[in-house]
């Protein structure tokens, strides 16, 4: 069974730009969660989508948004990028018992 | 108080030693418990997960959950330098609830 895939793997943007990250979950998993990971803050939960609906949300500003499609694939969008948005963005897909992470997208904002 | 607490380390042990990694949690509703291993600049990799209390063994790894004391442990036997990574514990109580992660413990195995 294929694992969670994320594209792109690396991205460089400048302040003020926007970015869209993509995640394909494990086949059969309907829940997709997004996390931001930085050395200083650790793993921080952004949001979770289940059957195309946002089910849970973390404490991030409205610049961070997401959506999920009918095939469970998910996208995350960050608008008006700031230097502090530089991080590893991780997508995870879940069944009822546990969660599996993708390799992440490393975003650098200059 | 964080719902899942984990000592960040770093923890350094010699090769071959038994490693004990621990977390405590505060939400008695938690039912599912996971351990992830994360190498530098990579995504977390699921090592083991357990449901409710008890032990689960997989090769050199043993996960233990004690719901009475709200304690989660991961034991690594015959530790290898390749086990050097950050280990994250995580818990949740239902598929509709958020998964709560510990802050991670950085482990280093000295050859």
């Amino acid at each position: 069974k294929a694992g969670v895939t994320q594209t792109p793997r690396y991205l460089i943007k400048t302040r003020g730009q926007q970015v869209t990250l993509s995640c394909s979950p494990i086949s059969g998993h309907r829940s997709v969660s997004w996390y931001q990971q930085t050395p200083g803050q650790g793993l921080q939960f952004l949001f979770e989508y289940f059957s195309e609906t946002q089910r849970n949300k973390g404490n991030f500003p409205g610049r961070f948004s997401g959506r999920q499609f009918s095939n469970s694939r998910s996208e995350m969008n960050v608008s008006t990028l700031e230097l502090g948005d530089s991080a590893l963005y991780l997508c995870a897909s879940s069944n009822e018992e546990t969660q599996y992470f993708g390799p992440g997208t490393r975003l650098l904002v200059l | 108080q964080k719902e899942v607490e984990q000592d960040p380390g770093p923890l350094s042990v010699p090769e071959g030693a038994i490693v004990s990694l621990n977390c405590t949690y505060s939400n008695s509703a938690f039912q599912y418990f996971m351990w992830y291993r994360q190498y530098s600049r990579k995504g977390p990799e699921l090592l083991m997960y357990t449901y409710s209390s008890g032990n689960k063994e997989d090769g050199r790894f043993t996960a233990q959950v004690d719901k009475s004391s709200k304690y989660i442990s991961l034991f690594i036997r015959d530790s290898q330098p390749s086990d050097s990574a950050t280990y994250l514990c995580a818990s949740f109580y239902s598929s509709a609830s958020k998964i709560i992660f510990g802050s991670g413990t950085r482990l280093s195995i000295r050859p």
Side-chain angles (χ1 to χ4, degrees):
Chain A
K1 203 182 235 189
V4 181
T5 58
Q6 289 187 247
T7 57
R9 293 294 312 278
Y10 303 93
L11 206 49
I12 299 175
K13 291 284 188 179
T14 55
R15 277 183 300 173
Q17 286 187 308
Q18 69 129 24
V19 67
T20 299
L21 311 181
S22 183
C23 171
S24 291
I26 292 170
S27 177
H29 287 192
R30 293 159 65 190
S31 166
V32 174
S33 298
W34 288 90
Y35 296 85
Q36 181 196 67
Q37 190 176 40
T38 59
Q41 298 294 319
L43 199 62
Q44 293 188 281
F45 173 75
L46 281 155
F47 29 67
E48 181 213 1
Y49 285 87
F50 181 84
S51 292
E52 301 179 67
T53 302
Q54 190 179 85
R55 186 162 69 173
N56 285 298
K57 189 177 187 306
N59 299 320
F60 276 80
R63 301 186 297 108
F64 293 81
S65 62
R67 58 178 176 166
Q68 187 180 32
F69 302 96
S70 58
N71 61 359
S72 293
R73 191 177 69 85
S74 177
E75 286 182 347
M76 192 194 101
N77 187 276
V78 189
S79 61
T80 320
L81 283 165
E82 300 176 0
L83 295 179
D85 297 333
S86 295
L88 180 66
Y89 289 88
L90 291 158
C91 165
S93 83
S94 306
N95 55 22
E96 285 70 33
E97 295 183 332
T98 193
Q99 188 173 74
Y100 300 84
F101 282 89
T105 294
R106 187 161 294 280
L107 172 64
L108 178 60
V109 181
L110 302 174
Chain B
Q1 183 193 8
K2 289 184 180 179
E3 285 190 273
V4 177
E5 299 267 12
Q6 186 174 9
D7 186 334
L11 179 63
S12 180
V13 302
E15 184 176 355
I18 295 175
V19 176
S20 172
L21 302 168
N22 306 294
C23 292
T24 57
Y25 64 94
S26 57
N27 190 339
S28 57
F30 284 153
Q31 296 176 297
Y32 299 90
F33 305 90
M34 292 93 78
W35 282 97
Y36 292 87
R37 177 176 63 196
Q38 186 173 24
Y39 292 114
S40 182
R41 307 182 74 82
K42 303 278 187 187
E45 168 197 9
L46 179 67
L47 274 178
M48 303 182 70
Y49 72 93
T50 55
Y51 172 74
S52 197
S53 274
N55 291 3
K56 189 171 184 179
E57 191 173 317
D58 184 2
R60 298 185 294 111
F61 298 89
T62 300
Q64 194 173 75
V65 176
D66 183 344
K67 293 197 77 180
S68 62
S69 59
K70 299 191 181 70
Y71 209 75
I72 314 164
S73 300
L74 178 71
F75 299 97
I76 307 174
R77 291 185 301 280
D78 188 25
S79 56
Q80 306 292 311
S82 59
D83 295 328
S84 298
T86 295
Y87 290 79
L88 296 144
C89 62
S91 305
F92 69 108
Y93 58 87
S94 78
S95 59
S97 65
K98 281 192 296 187
I99 295 177
I100 308 298
F101 284 84
S103 55
T105 298
R106 206 154 53 141
L107 173 67
S108 175
I109 308 297
R110 307 188 301 271

